[in-house]
Amino acid sequence: MAQLLDGAGKLGWVLLRAVVRFVFMFINNCVAIPSYCLYLLLLQPLRIWDRSAFWHIEGIMFKWLLAMVSSWGWIAGYTVTEWGDDVRPISEEEAMVIVNHQSTGDVCTLMMCLQDKGTVVRKMMWLMDHVFKYTNFGLVSLIHGDFFIRQGKAHRDKQLVYLKDHLEKYYHSRDRKWVVLFPEGGFLRKRRETSQVFAKKHSLPHLTHVTLPRLGATHVILKTLSAQQENGSVGSESGTPNQTGNKRKGLQWVIDVTIAYPKARPMDIQTWIFGYRPPTITHVHYRMYPIKEVPVESEALGDWLYQRFVEKEELLAHFYDTGSFPHDGTQKVASRQMTLDPVWLCAIQSFAFASGFMWYRVLQYLYCCLF
C-alpha cells in the first residue's frame, strides 16, 4: 500500500508539473510571438529606409524566441553535451549544416546548442517540413525567411525549383550565414524500413541508426550558394553581392551534426513541453568539412553524402555501445558541456511578458479610441 501511495504521489507531481509547464508555455507563446510580429510591423519604415538594420533587429528577436524554447528544456534538466570539432570559431562564416533526424525534439536541441555560437541563430535559415508552417512557430519562421519543403515524389522537382528561388531571394538579402537541413527527409522511425529496402536494391550500405540521405536540397544549396570550380568542387569565392553591395565569400564549410539520445530514445516536442521525462543529456557531435573538399556534381556529391551518413551510423553505433562518441585524437577535449546563462534567459522571458502587456494595453487603447 505504501508503494502504491508513493507511486500515486509521484505520478500526481509529474502531472501537476506538466500542467503548470503547459500553461506557462501557452502564455509564453501568446505574448512572445504576437509581440515579435507587432514589433516588426512597427519597424516597417526602417525596412524601407535601411534593410540591413531591420533584419539585424529581426535576427536578435528571432534568437530570443529560440532561446525561450531552449529555456523550456533547460529548466526541465534537458541539457546538451557537445563532441567533435568546435564550430564557434567559424560562426561568422557561411556554412551548410546537415543533421540526422529522429524526432521533433531535434529542432529544439539545435535551438539550444546553437545559442552560444555567436550570431549563428539570428543569421540562420532553416529547411523544414511544410507541416511546421502550421505550428505555433510557423508564422515566425515565415517572417524570418525559413523554407518549408513538401515531401513526396509528386512535389520533389517543383520544391527544388522553389528552394533555389527562395535562396536567391532571401539568403543574401537578409544576410544569412548558416543553412540547416535534414537530408534524410523525415524521421528515422518512418523512413528506416523504406531506406533499407532501397539500399538493398541498389547495393548501398545497410543503415540502422540513420537512413540514406536525399540529394536534392543539398545539391541545390551547394549550386546556388557556392561557386563551382573546373574540378567539380565548390570554391571559396562566390562573388555574389549582399544587400550592401559587398562581395560575399559564399559557403565556406559543411558542418555534419549528429544528434544522439541516451538509449536511442529520441526527445520529442511533447517531452520538451510537458517535461515528464527525468533530466536527460542529449549528445551532439560536430564534424567540419571545408567547402573545397565537397564535390558539387550529382553523382560525386551523392557518394560523398552517403559516406557522411555511413560515418553517422558508425558514430551512433559507438555511442549506443559505450555512452560516448569516439575521440579521434584531433580534438583538444573529448566533450564539453553546453551551458545557457539563466540570468539572460530570465531577462528575455521578462522582456517578452512586459512586451505582451504593453501591446495589450496599446491595442486596448486603440480599440477604445475607434469604437
Side-chain angles (χ1 to χ4, degrees):
M1 179 63 72
Q3 289 182 341
L4 183 62
L5 291 175
D6 184 58
K10 290 181 179 179
L11 178 60
W13 168 245
V14 170
L15 291 175
L16 176 62
R17 186 175 61 181
V19 170
V20 171
R21 284 175 59 87
F22 177 78
V23 171
F24 172 78
M25 292 173 196
F26 178 79
I27 298 174
N28 200 183
N29 275 281
C30 288
V31 298
I33 294 177
S35 295
Y36 165 87
C37 297
L38 289 168
Y39 276 127
L40 293 184
L41 183 63
L42 184 68
L43 290 172
Q44 287 304 304
L46 177 63
R47 183 178 181 179
I48 298 173
W49 182 261
D50 189 342
R51 288 177 57 87
S52 61
F54 174 85
W55 290 114
H56 177 82
I57 295 171
E58 184 277 335
I60 293 174
M61 291 193 292
F62 183 79
K63 180 177 181 177
W64 290 351
L65 287 176
L66 268 58
M68 291 178 200
V69 177
S70 303
S71 70
W72 301 346
W74 185 259
I75 61 178
Y78 304 147
T79 58
V80 173
T81 293
E82 299 180 311
W83 300 74
D85 296 329
D86 185 1
V87 300
R88 286 172 294 184
I90 65 165
S91 61
E92 294 298 325
E93 300 183 39
E94 295 185 37
M96 178 176 67
V97 183
I98 55 176
V99 192
N100 63 312
H101 208 9
Q102 301 175 69
S103 71
T104 50
D106 297 340
V107 175
C108 299
T109 297
L110 287 173
M111 288 180 179
M112 176 183 286
C113 64
L114 295 179
Q115 283 291 326
D116 66 343
K117 307 297 187 295
T119 63
V120 164
V121 173
R122 65 182 178 88
K123 291 189 175 184
M124 71 195 316
M125 178 182 288
W126 296 77
L127 268 65
M128 297 179 285
D129 189 277
H130 79 288
V131 173
F132 284 97
K133 185 189 299 184
Y134 308 104
T135 65
N136 60 318
F137 219 75
L139 179 59
V140 173
S141 292
L142 281 172
I143 294 173
H144 184 68
D146 297 329
F147 183 77
F148 297 94
I149 191 165
R150 186 181 293 271
Q151 304 293 340
K153 292 182 180 179
H155 308 284
R156 189 171 301 162
D157 292 339
K158 285 186 178 180
Q159 289 299 302
L160 295 178
V161 173
Y162 295 154
L163 173 59
K164 183 177 185 299
D165 292 342
H166 186 89
L167 291 170
E168 291 175 343
K169 185 175 182 180
Y170 297 116
Y171 181 82
H172 291 142
S173 65
R174 299 185 182 184
D175 194 26
R176 298 295 174 244
K177 295 292 186 181
W178 286 22
V179 180
V180 181
L181 72 154
F182 301 92
E184 291 166 293
F187 298 143
L188 173 64
R189 68 179 186 275
K190 293 182 177 181
R191 292 204 62 245
R192 177 160 41 200
E193 184 177 350
T194 303
S195 174
Q196 290 174 347
V197 170
F198 180 86
K200 184 177 181 180
K201 182 178 179 181
H202 294 85
S203 300
L204 294 170
H206 179 86
L207 305 175
T208 301
H209 305 303
V210 293
T211 65
L212 290 172
R214 293 172 176 174
L215 180 62
T218 307
H219 190 222
V220 168
I221 292 170
L222 287 173
K223 294 281 284 186
T224 305
L225 302 181
S226 303
Q228 186 176 357
Q229 305 297 307
E230 292 181 0
N231 60 4
S233 299
V234 290
S236 60
E237 293 290 342
S238 68
T240 304
N242 61 13
Q243 69 269 31
T244 61
N246 299 321
K247 277 192 173 183
R248 299 174 63 106
K249 292 183 178 180
L251 291 179
Q252 298 292 293
W253 301 91
V254 172
I255 303 174
D256 186 6
V257 178
T258 303
I259 300 176
Y261 299 95
K263 300 180 181 179
R265 292 180 58 207
M267 185 91 66
D268 55 29
I269 190 65
Q270 296 94 316
T271 306
W272 202 268
I273 292 173
F274 293 106
Y276 49 76
R277 186 182 294 188
T280 302
I281 300 176
T282 301
H283 297 258
V284 179
H285 185 277
Y286 304 96
R287 183 169 287 166
M288 303 187 306
Y289 296 91
I291 199 68
K292 63 183 180 181
E293 297 180 6
V294 182
V296 75
E297 295 305 322
S298 296
E299 185 175 349
L301 177 61
D303 293 339
W304 185 89
L305 196 58
Y306 283 157
Q307 185 58 39
R308 300 291 73 76
F309 277 77
V310 169
E311 290 175 1
K312 285 180 181 291
E313 176 79 10
E314 294 170 353
L315 285 171
L316 290 169
H318 186 279
F319 177 85
Y320 296 139
D321 286 341
T322 66
S324 64
F325 284 115
H327 182 46
D328 62 10
T330 62
Q331 302 125 18
K332 294 181 180 179
V333 291
S335 65
R336 51 196 171 270
Q337 190 72 23
M338 184 267 164
T339 60
L340 292 175
D341 184 356
V343 175
W344 177 63
L345 293 178
C346 288
I348 60 174
Q349 288 285 10
S350 300
F351 178 76
F353 283 100
S355 295
F357 178 75
M358 180 198 72
W359 283 113
Y360 170 76
R361 295 304 299 268
V362 168
L363 294 176
Q364 184 184 47
Y365 175 78
L366 292 175
Y367 179 81
C368 292
C369 290
L370 292 174
F371 303 102

